[in-house]
Each structure stands twice: as C-alpha cells, then as structure tokens.
Amino acid sequence: MKNKIKILRAQHNMTQAQLSVEVQVSRQTINAIETGKFDPSLPLAFKISRLFKLPIESIFFEE
C-alpha cells in the first residue's frame, strides 16, 4: 500500500516525530509506514486521516 504521508507532513511543516506524537505511535512506525514497510492499522489510518482532515482513501491507496 502506498501513501502520501510524507507529502502531507511537508505541507504541514511536520516532522515524523511530531506526527508520531499526534497519532500516538513511535517515530519509527511513521517511518515504516512512509517507506511502505508497514501498513497502518485501521484505527491508526483513521487518526492520520482526521489529523490531516482528508479521507483515508486520499492518503492510502493501492500501488
């Protein structure tokens, strides 16, 4: 699964560490999601979606 988290973080001037605090996961988890090594759980995907005020499907999508 691909995602736009890195782009969204840049648009919001947010570091991986800041995002990790906002969605209550480790910075390493954010890095793993951004690099495609880990797919987020549905609750985590909803947290990220709410934070950026975008639908999940506009952030996460099939390759």
Side-chain angles (χ1 to χ4, degrees):
M1 180 184 306
K2 293 199 172 218
N3 66 76
K4 296 180 178 176
I5 294 177
K6 187 173 183 176
I7 294 167
L8 293 169
R9 277 194 312 101
Q11 291 173 344
H12 290 81
N13 296 318
M14 184 178 279
T15 65
Q16 287 183 342
Q18 290 169 325
L19 177 57
S20 72
V21 169
E22 290 290 334
V23 297
Q24 301 173 328
V25 296
S26 69
R27 187 200 56 77
Q28 290 81 6
T29 298
I30 298 299
N31 184 58
I33 293 169
E34 285 185 2
T35 57
K37 295 178 182 169
F38 176 75
D39 288 334
S41 66
L42 191 54
L44 178 55
F46 272 110
K47 284 182 180 179
I48 294 169
S49 171
R50 281 193 296 270
L51 179 69
F52 291 120
K53 298 179 179 157
L54 291 171
I56 288 177
E57 62 271 18
S58 71
I59 301 173
F60 301 96
F61 47 93
E62 293 294 322
E63 299 180 52

